[in-house]
Amino acid sequence: MTGSAGKLRALDGYVADSCYPSQFHQSFQPSWTDWNLERRGLAAPRTGRKPFKLVDLGCGDAHGLLLTAASHPEGQFVGIDAAPEHIARGHELAVAAGLTNVELRCADFRRARHFADESADYVTAQGVLAWVSPQNRSRLLDLAARWLRPGGAFTLGYNACPGWGRLAPFQKLVHALAQSASGTSSQRFTAALNRIRGDGMLPSEFWEWFDAQTDRHPPEYLAHEYLNDHWNPCWSSDVVSGMVQRGFAYVGQAIAVRLREDLYLKPEWRQTLATIGDSPTRELATDLLADTWYRHDIYVKSPTAPGPALHALTHRWWTLAASPEDIEYRMTTPAGDISFDSEAARSIVRWLGQGPGQLSAISGFAAADLLNSIDAMYMAGFAIPADPPGDPATATRFNAVLTARGRPVNAVASAHGAITAYRRGS
Ligand SMILES: C[S@@+](CC[C@H](N)C(=O)[O-])C[C@H]1O[C@@H](n2cnc3c(N)ncnc32)[C@H](O)[C@@H]1O
């Protein structure tokens, strides 16, 4: 796929000689999006287990999308990716698991516009925007606008500034040195990295940070992260204003810890932010104050209706992300150390410790207290928004296929939605 000299095989400058590691992203699940919208007073694209359509743009090998599809037999799923190897891998798994509600299409964002038909309730795109050319960024955002129906939600995940911007000197250097190295993208990356390290081109603090990152990621990830020609972490103000121009309303962050500004931002920051009227500038200022690295923006296309009343939110379903004895009733956010140890929180843990459930089944607490506690548990990573129970047959079959393959992806399918596996210890 690669020669010993010359350019790497690429899609408009995006590394294409290796598959991106199989990934599942909890915060792109429909129940997660619905919770985030309803908690902010907006209508979710669906209620309960109604049929819906979800389109994933730049789906990689689609293993994450297939987990979602296996957990939602009532849904219809479309995955788009320009790399034939990604689509072939996903297709093979879909066939092996007998999934009939997924369509995987090998197409770039320019060609995919021909399929986009305002039929989707959800569009997702994780880890694409900051790694593709300016033209493809524009095409990606246009596609979300063309594919969603009014009232539909778009979750867009990307590497953000100022955090990732600090790595620009390293990325430029490793990318440039890799051009003259030989072999696959991973081999070229390693050769360039070794040269930078061996020649002492960067300070020791950089290597401490970098080596800790590297340990967490499979090797193919690093080539995809650093060798794309158009690597360019995004400023949120550019992205938010681009979406507003396309007819979307910015809703907030799907990154859990950013749900509640009173628990995430220092009071003096909130005072400053309250003086900024437009959402692109406000998001930019928030990112600078909180030193943001990643963003998972949620947008709604032409918002149509208000969400349910506060007390109705207690009917939403939840699952624990850890076993009850591992739950700490505290978290640290940029606002400081926050404790949420209360009777309401402990009752929620006791209840959900028996399995996925609704907060409305817990008696003796006001809706506001239950919601306050679940907000904090969700922000701390201990509670995951779930769906009402569905037919478990496809999820069970899918999990059996994944188990037989040595669990190539970090989640399990379930009758309550797909759930990150490491969180559940399974
Ligand atoms: C970093 S991967 C993310 C995969 C997946 N969304 C995830 O988060 O695990 C980016 C994906 O975008 C795809 N991609 C890059 N440029 C593209 C383009 N112009 N059109 C369609 N897909 C593209 C790549 O093939 C790759 O699978």
Side-chain angles (χ1 to χ4, degrees):
M1 247 179 251
T2 51
S4 60
K7 282 185 83 69
L8 278 168
R9 212 192 95 202
L11 300 162
D12 272 355
Y14 184 93
V15 167
D17 75 323
S18 65
C19 283
Y20 190 71
S22 306
Q23 303 259 6
F24 169 78
H25 304 284
Q26 193 73 58
S27 54
F28 292 75
Q29 301 310 296
S31 54
W32 193 284
T33 309
D34 293 352
W35 157 251
N36 272 279
L37 290 171
E38 291 190 351
R39 192 65 181 107
R40 292 173 170 102
L42 296 166
R46 68 186 178 138
T47 48
R49 280 270 178 177
K50 289 221 175 99
F52 66 94
K53 180 168 178 176
L54 183 151
V55 176
D56 190 25
L57 303 173
C59 63
D61 72 5
H63 282 35
L65 182 67
L66 298 182
L67 272 158
T68 314
S71 306
H72 292 280
E74 78 282 12
Q76 208 192 332
F77 297 84
V78 179
I80 300 288
D81 202 280
E85 294 84 353
H86 282 159
I87 294 299
R89 261 205 204 180
H91 190 251
E92 190 277 327
L93 178 58
V95 170
L99 290 179
T100 54
N101 58 342
V102 192
E103 186 188 357
L104 300 179
R105 303 190 83 139
C106 186
D108 63 22
F109 298 138
R110 181 179 28 204
R111 201 160 76 78
R113 71 195 289 277
H114 299 300
F115 323 133
D117 57 359
E118 278 211 64
S119 63
D121 302 285
Y122 303 90
V123 170
T124 56
Q126 160 59 4
V128 184
L129 195 71
W131 293 358
V132 296
S133 66
Q135 215 178 12
N136 280 323
R137 284 183 197 192
S138 218
R139 287 178 182 141
L140 177 71
L141 305 188
D142 286 346
L143 260 184
R146 286 177 77 106
W147 224 314
L148 279 171
R149 63 161 173 83
F154 179 35
T155 308
L156 177 64
Y158 53 94
N159 290 356
C161 289
W164 276 99
R166 291 202 279 280
L167 289 189
F170 168 71
Q171 191 276 335
K172 281 275 170 220
L173 190 56
V174 81
H175 178 268
L177 289 172
Q179 302 304 308
S180 54
S182 60
T184 63
S185 55
S186 293
Q187 290 164 339
R188 289 175 189 229
F189 174 80
T190 305
L193 188 74
N194 289 343
R195 231 186 115 187
I196 298 172
R197 199 193 292 265
D199 292 353
M201 293 191 222
L202 291 170
S204 57
E205 305 85 72
F206 171 80
W207 297 111
E208 273 165 37
W209 177 88
F210 184 83
D211 291 338
Q213 298 295 311
T214 317
D215 286 349
R216 294 213 309 261
H217 294 295
E220 321 86 78
Y221 160 82
L222 293 167
H224 279 256
E225 173 61 68
Y226 292 105
L227 296 193
N228 291 313
D229 294 346
H230 301 284
W231 185 94
N232 202 358
C234 305
W235 290 103
S236 56
S237 47
D238 296 339
V239 181
V240 175
S241 52
M243 292 309 297
V244 169
Q245 279 159 22
R246 288 169 172 85
F248 283 77
Y250 173 71
V251 174
Q253 287 299 291
I255 290 181
V257 73
R258 288 193 61 173
L259 177 73
R260 292 250 312 252
E261 293 201 339
D262 56 328
L263 302 179
Y264 182 70
L265 298 173
K266 294 181 183 173
E268 61 271 28
W269 296 350
R270 282 187 275 130
Q271 268 175 19
T272 304
L273 292 169
T275 63
I276 303 176
D278 67 296
S279 57
T281 312
R282 198 170 182 285
E283 286 310 298
L284 174 65
T286 305
D287 290 345
L288 292 174
L289 289 166
D291 192 23
T292 297
W293 283 72
Y294 296 98
R295 288 181 58 98
H296 293 175
D297 296 357
I298 305 179
Y299 299 92
V300 173
K301 179 173 166 178
S302 327
T304 45
L310 202 65
H311 66 85
L313 296 188
T314 59
H315 294 284
R316 296 204 64 82
W317 284 71
W318 289 89
T319 186
L320 285 188
S323 54
E325 55 279 12
D326 291 337
I327 290 180
E328 295 164 13
Y329 297 85
R330 51 175 300 282
M331 64 179 156
T332 302
T333 77
D337 290 331
I338 290 162
S339 164
F340 50 92
D341 197 350
S342 68
E343 259 316 301
R346 288 188 177 263
S347 298
I348 292 173
V349 170
R350 272 196 297 279
W351 174 237
L352 296 182
Q354 298 167 41
Q358 295 165 289
L359 304 189
S360 53
I362 305 170
S363 57
F365 298 97
D369 289 339
L370 290 170
L371 290 172
N372 207 29
S373 293
I374 202 76
D375 282 350
M377 288 176 56
Y378 161 81
M379 290 176 69
F382 293 128
I384 294 176
D387 265 335
D391 179 353
T394 45
T396 306
R397 200 167 58 228
F398 193 78
N399 289 336
V401 173
L402 285 188
T403 303
R405 292 171 176 218
R407 294 284 187 99
V409 63
N410 54 320
V412 288
S414 96
H416 290 278
I419 308 286
T420 305
Y422 69 89
R423 297 280 200 178
R424 312 177 86 208
S426 54

